[in-house]
Amino acid sequence: MADQTNSAVDSLLGLLSAAVKDEARLLGGVHRDVQFIKDEMDSMNGYLMHLTKMEGDHDDQLRAWMKQVRDIAYVAEDCIELYRRDLMPVDGDGGFLARLRHLPVYLWTVPARHRLANRISELKARVREVGERRMRYDVRVPEATRKQHVKEPAQDKKAEEKRMEDFRRAPEDADVWPPFGNVIDKLPAILASDEAARKKISFVVNKCGEDGVEFGIVEMFLCALSRYPYATPHDLEELEKKLEAGETKEVVMVFCYSKLSTQQKSCLQYLTAFLEESSISRTSIVRRWVAEGLVGREQGRTLEEAGERCFSELLARRFVCPKAIGDSGTVRSCIMDESIREFIVDISKSENFVSDIPSHLARQLRIREIVQGPRPKKKLQAGRWSCNICSGGASGETQLVSDLVAAGDRSSTAAQALKEPMDELVDFLKKLPKLYRLNVLDLGGCQGVRKRHLKSICKVTISLKYLCLRKTDVSRLPARYIEALSLLETLDIRETDVWPTDTKHIFLPKLKHLLAGRRKRKMGELGTVRMPLKIGRMRDMETLSHVQVSGDGAELAGVSKLMQLRKLGLVLHGNDHKATNNNLRQVCLPSWIEDLKLLTNVTLIDTELKEAELRKLGKLQGLRSLRLGHNSYSEQDLTFNQGQDEFKALKFLVAECNNIARIVFAGAGAAPSLEKIVMDMEVMDVVPFSGIEHLPMLKAIELRLTGDGSYTTQLTELEVTIAALKRRTSFTYSFPVVVNAEQ
């Protein structure tokens, strides 16, 4: 529990530090209150950090105090966010005219700023009381052993990466099954080279087998030993004692959980909000972790990169398992085994996480319960209000979710049971405490989302950082509503019928991820929304996924200013090829393209480029993934040239454009980092690849054959070519599924 509380306070301290940097811009009394809150929370955070470094359990008194600190941290962060937005004047570098333009807004918000200043004053009193309560009840750090960090001798990053890769491959290289001997050999040297430790590991593995513990739990145990930086033979001695006194499965899983880091535990516990999901989107959960403040800052990494690293660790430790893998080899979605689902609930209760659940997660569970709850029989028959915010789930899991929501938060009156889901949701949001901060609202799959609902949501959830409307029936997205969400970081409107022009005038200063686009019935075509005209002022933007550029391409000039951009998906609809190419040049000009060092993923649709235009993208030194969608390329041969300073970092190439008949790698050094090629083809008159022997890193080729022609000769020739490569390369191809019309 100290881990979760420490994450909440860390997030708050980042805001407080920014808020008190320039005292001259703050109101005098408010500044003193904010400074006091920062100093107090700093002291509490030091206490919490000390707790996280100690082994042993926390008593009930300490847990109660940490719960109070965590809750006050969430409330305080909300207040400070609103304070920075509403009380602090416009930035000084905007000049006199900028301040003059801001004056009407400043005067208009005087009452709101006064109320917020009073709330901060009240918050100061609450923070003081929490600090005094610890002293009053003599809450102390329990006497326990301090965790000791154990480093591998002469360990460096590359050596550790190789050991982990060898550990992952050990089961594949084993001569016996289960391959535990091979796996133990690849554990850290402090365990693998200690004969007593090896015996204890074998004892645990054999005990699991004798007691019928599933194979996945044994994998978790070995992965925990492999990745934990404090692992010593002493840990195994303690585990052996606990196994003699407790249930094997539970003891082993608690051991694995105890080896997680601070934020890994916080993020894992947050998965209680996904108990009914049969599939959890990786990017969705990572961005929700960030929005909820569960991911701490790491040196040299953005918050989302830290979240991705956390996800990778949970994946590597088998707490979550891959469900869907993308063309680039990354995990797109994951699942939790039934044992893990039950364990997360149990361990959270034991840490006083769910039995006295934090308000932010309690409200998330309640929102899900409202949106996906049972509707009146009459409306279910009509099918009008059916909603699937989660994509399925095992039977009995609804009860798990219900058990997590405090009985006091439930509404079971007949009147509410007859309400439409979105009306009930809006009523619930309006009744939230004024000091409560709602960071995440996920309505994915919900039906019945009307303009009036969106208006109410934007009015009462001004602290929202993550809004998902994916697969809803929302059709309008008025800028005057959405712009009230000034803290919004993620807006997901994929697979909706939002009017294309509704996004044209939207300006959200904090937005990082704009996700749009809907596949039409005709294969390959994509309907989407317009790129915002003020895109150049959204300097935090990292992902622009499938947005349409206007005929004159005016918005593209703003893209050059997005130095944080990582993923770019452009749709250029139009029949004027000359204008289209000119527009694309605006986004690919060499004068600034090399400055986008973070841009790693590019998708093009309907761009109808020629080779010269496409090669400009090769100047992106960080480009790792290139997807050429419907009508994105107008020539038959897609050529990567030798000796050109282009596509040096490209690892994944996806060619879904059926205009392309062949991909040519003209000599050594053409796409030197390319690992995987995915290609859609309707017609195969020639072998679709030339020069693949020049690709030193190639691991996989995948053909998706969408036509009904004969490919035997070309496939045979390609198989011979691939078999002759020095590097082992996998080759797969698939045909369209034919549905029997009589069935």
Side-chain angles (χ1 to χ4, degrees):
M1 186 175 178
D3 301 330
Q4 179 101 18
T5 310
N6 186 221
S7 293
V9 176
D10 268 341
S11 178
L12 170 61
L13 286 173
L15 283 176
L16 287 168
S17 297
V20 299
K21 277 184 178 178
D22 189 357
E23 181 173 357
R25 296 173 61 206
L26 308 179
L27 301 178
V30 174
H31 170 74
R32 289 191 295 272
D33 291 346
V34 172
Q35 184 66 57
F36 175 84
I37 294 171
K38 178 183 181 300
D39 293 342
E40 283 291 293
M41 299 307 289
D42 238 333
S43 298
M44 292 180 191
N45 200 44
Y47 188 88
L48 291 166
M49 289 179 66
H50 186 56
L51 281 173
T52 62
K53 295 176 182 177
M54 306 301 292
E55 296 179 345
D57 298 325
H58 304 144
D59 60 30
D60 292 339
Q61 196 175 46
L62 184 58
R63 290 175 189 273
W65 181 79
M66 286 191 291
K67 164 69 165 55
Q68 294 163 16
V69 173
R70 185 184 60 210
D71 286 347
I72 198 71
Y74 285 126
V75 173
E77 186 172 352
D78 185 31
C79 276
I80 300 304
E81 282 277 21
L82 295 175
Y83 165 75
R84 294 178 65 198
R85 189 192 71 181
D86 295 340
L87 268 68
M88 297 179 72
V90 68
D91 289 340
D93 58 7
F96 175 75
L97 290 178
R99 291 174 176 271
L100 191 62
R101 285 195 298 268
H102 184 74
L103 184 59
V105 177
Y106 187 79
L107 294 175
W108 179 262
T109 58
V110 165
R113 291 186 292 112
H114 181 70
R115 288 193 297 270
L116 187 55
N118 287 337
R119 286 164 61 180
I120 290 177
S121 179
E122 294 171 4
L123 183 62
K124 173 187 174 182
R126 288 185 61 183
V127 170
R128 177 187 283 117
E129 174 62 23
V130 170
E132 292 175 349
R133 189 174 292 119
R134 183 176 72 85
M135 303 300 295
R136 186 161 60 246
Y137 291 99
D138 197 25
V139 178
R140 299 181 180 181
V141 177
E143 295 183 5
T145 306
R146 185 179 180 86
K147 298 174 183 176
Q148 298 295 322
H149 187 83
V150 180
K151 276 192 174 182
E152 291 288 296
Q155 185 184 52
D156 58 38
K157 185 177 179 180
K158 288 187 176 180
E160 178 62 10
E161 288 178 353
K162 184 179 184 306
R163 184 188 68 78
M164 292 305 305
E165 179 63 19
D166 291 343
F167 175 82
R168 189 183 67 81
R169 292 182 176 273
E172 302 174 8
D173 300 332
D175 296 326
V176 296
W177 194 262
F180 297 120
N182 291 53
V183 174
I184 293 174
D185 290 337
K186 307 302 179 184
L187 291 176
I190 194 172
L191 298 176
S193 62
D194 188 297
E195 191 59 36
R198 293 178 65 95
K199 288 182 179 179
K200 293 183 185 301
I201 294 171
S202 298
F203 167 77
V204 175
V205 170
N206 292 332
K207 187 79 164 64
C208 288
E210 292 171 3
D211 294 348
V213 177
E214 52 262 47
F215 181 72
I217 305 302
V218 180
E219 285 186 304
M220 282 180 61
F221 167 65
L222 294 171
C223 288
L225 294 179
S226 177
R227 305 188 77 87
Y228 183 57
Y230 306 100
T232 66
H234 175 71
D235 290 328
L236 297 170
E237 293 177 7
E238 294 296 317
L239 176 60
E240 192 174 26
K241 293 177 182 178
K242 292 178 180 178
L243 282 173
E244 294 173 356
E247 184 180 343
T248 301
K249 180 178 177 179
E250 179 183 351
V251 170
V252 172
M253 292 183 77
V254 169
F255 175 86
C256 296
Y257 174 80
S258 70
K259 304 309 176 190
L260 294 175
S261 70
T262 297
Q263 69 179 24
Q264 288 163 11
K265 288 180 180 178
S266 301
C267 293
L268 179 64
Q269 290 176 341
Y270 188 76
L271 294 181
T272 52
F274 294 86
L275 292 177
E276 293 200 27
E277 302 263 358
S278 62
S279 178
I280 305 171
S281 165
R282 185 196 88 251
T283 54
S284 176
I285 186 59
V286 167
R287 287 167 188 166
R288 289 184 64 161
W289 286 339
V290 171
E292 296 284 18
L294 301 181
V295 178
R297 296 187 180 277
E298 298 180 7
Q299 186 174 6
R301 291 188 175 92
T302 65
L303 286 174
E304 189 159 337
E305 287 173 336
E308 290 281 4
R309 185 166 176 259
C310 183
F311 180 87
S312 297
E313 281 295 311
L314 293 179
L315 191 69
R317 294 167 184 259
R318 304 298 193 271
F319 280 98
V320 294
C321 301
K323 176 68 180 291
I325 308 293
D327 291 329
S328 62
T330 58
V331 175
R332 296 180 60 184
S333 63
C334 66
I335 56 174
M336 292 183 289
D337 291 337
E338 186 63 29
S339 294
I340 302 299
R341 295 171 187 242
E342 295 175 356
F343 173 76
I344 292 174
V345 173
D346 290 341
I347 197 68
S348 297
K349 287 180 177 178
S350 70
E351 293 196 357
N352 202 26
F353 178 80
V354 174
S355 60
D356 198 0
I357 192 169
S359 56
H360 74 288
L361 186 51
R363 270 61 183 253
Q364 287 297 326
L365 292 169
R366 179 61 185 135
I367 288 170
R368 285 178 172 271
E369 188 178 53
I370 291 172
V371 177
Q372 66 185 194
R375 312 304 338 146
K377 186 176 181 181
K378 179 180 179 181
K379 295 193 175 183
L380 282 176
Q381 288 177 335
R384 185 180 178 189
W385 303 118
S386 62
C387 177
N388 183 23
I389 193 170
C390 302
S391 52
S395 61
E397 291 171 1
T398 301
Q399 186 60 41
L400 279 176
V401 174
S402 297
D403 289 344
L404 297 179
V405 183
D409 286 340
R410 293 179 183 156
S411 299
S412 57
T413 64
Q416 285 179 318
L418 293 174
K419 283 186 177 180
E420 300 170 1
M422 287 305 303
D423 286 335
E424 187 176 348
L425 175 63
V426 168
D427 287 347
F428 173 75
L429 296 178
K430 288 179 178 179
K431 293 176 182 177
L432 290 176
K434 290 184 178 181
L435 288 180
Y436 175 69
R437 177 194 66 195
L438 185 69
N439 292 322
V440 171
L441 187 59
D442 188 345
L443 302 179
C446 185
Q447 304 301 299
V449 183
R450 305 290 178 254
K451 188 193 293 188
R452 58 186 172 86
H453 298 133
L454 199 59
K455 180 180 180 180
S456 297
I457 287 172
C458 294
K459 185 176 180 180
V460 300
T461 60
I462 56 176
S463 61
L464 213 58
K465 294 183 178 180
Y466 179 101
L467 175 61
C468 177
L469 299 170
R470 187 178 186 180
K471 293 184 178 180
T472 66
D473 59 351
V474 64
S475 60
R476 299 307 308 268
L477 203 68
R480 65 183 185 278
Y481 298 164
I482 294 297
E483 287 183 349
L485 307 178
S486 59
L487 303 178
L488 197 64
E489 296 178 355
T490 297
L491 177 59
D492 189 348
I493 53 174
R494 287 174 291 179
E495 299 176 74
T496 66
D497 288 323
V498 169
W499 286 24
T501 56
D502 276 5
T503 55
K504 182 177 178 180
H505 299 289
I506 284 178
F507 173 63
L508 295 166
K510 299 289 187 180
L511 196 64
K512 294 181 179 180
H513 309 283
L514 176 57
L515 312 172
R518 178 171 187 164
R519 291 285 179 185
K520 296 182 179 180
R521 290 185 178 181
K522 186 176 180 181
M523 183 180 297
E525 290 193 1
L526 183 78
T528 190
V529 297
R530 286 280 300 276
M531 183 184 291
L533 291 174
K534 298 179 182 178
I535 189 65
R537 293 173 57 190
M538 302 185 201
R539 300 299 178 89
D540 293 334
M541 189 67 72
E542 297 180 14
T543 305
L544 270 173
S545 179
H546 301 140
V547 290
Q548 181 181 342
V549 178
S550 61
D552 61 6
E555 315 94 309
L556 292 178
V559 177
S560 65
K561 302 175 183 178
L562 306 180
M563 294 296 105
Q564 302 301 316
L565 196 62
R566 297 168 182 270
K567 296 182 180 180
L568 177 63
L570 291 180
V571 181
L572 303 184
H573 289 305
N575 297 320
D576 188 341
H577 301 317
K578 183 178 180 180
T580 296
N581 289 336
N582 288 337
N583 291 344
L584 189 68
R585 289 189 186 100
Q586 293 182 59
V587 78
C588 299
L589 285 177
S591 61
W592 60 266
I593 194 68
E594 294 182 5
D595 293 334
L596 295 182
K597 300 183 185 302
L598 299 179
L599 187 58
T600 61
N601 189 311
V602 171
T603 299
L604 301 176
I605 300 173
D606 286 333
T607 52
E608 298 187 351
L609 301 183
K610 295 184 180 299
E611 181 182 348
E613 280 74 40
L614 185 63
R615 285 176 58 187
K616 292 179 184 294
L617 290 175
K619 300 299 182 181
L620 288 167
Q621 296 301 306
L623 185 64
R624 297 177 67 253
S625 177
L626 175 62
R627 182 183 295 269
L628 300 175
H630 180 73
N631 286 335
S632 60
Y633 194 66
S634 61
E635 302 186 23
Q636 288 193 334
D637 282 1
L638 174 62
T639 304
F640 293 83
N641 294 309
Q642 178 184 16
Q644 302 292 328
D645 188 23
E646 300 168 355
F647 299 106
K648 294 298 184 182
L650 188 67
K651 290 189 175 184
F652 309 105
L653 174 63
V654 182
E656 298 172 328
C657 178
N658 287 318
N659 296 335
I660 301 174
R662 189 173 62 154
I663 302 178
V664 179
F665 301 96
S673 302
L674 193 60
E675 296 181 2
K676 184 175 182 179
I677 305 171
V678 180
M679 190 173 181
D680 289 4
M681 302 199 72
E682 287 185 356
V683 179
M684 192 191 298
D685 294 328
V686 296
V687 176
F689 304 107
S690 175
I692 57 175
E693 66 273 11
H694 300 308
L695 302 176
M697 305 301 292
L698 188 62
K699 297 178 181 179
I701 293 176
E702 180 182 341
L703 281 181
R704 298 190 292 227
L705 306 171
T706 59
D708 55 1
S710 175
Y711 310 105
T712 305
T713 303
Q714 291 79 9
L715 287 176
T716 300
E717 186 175 343
L718 182 57
E719 287 175 335
V720 171
T721 301
I722 293 174
L725 296 177
K726 293 181 180 180
R727 183 180 180 87
R728 182 180 176 184
T729 301
S730 68
F731 173 49
T732 59
Y733 56 88
S734 59
F735 295 91
V737 178
V738 179
V739 180
N740 189 340
E742 295 180 357
Q743 293 182 347

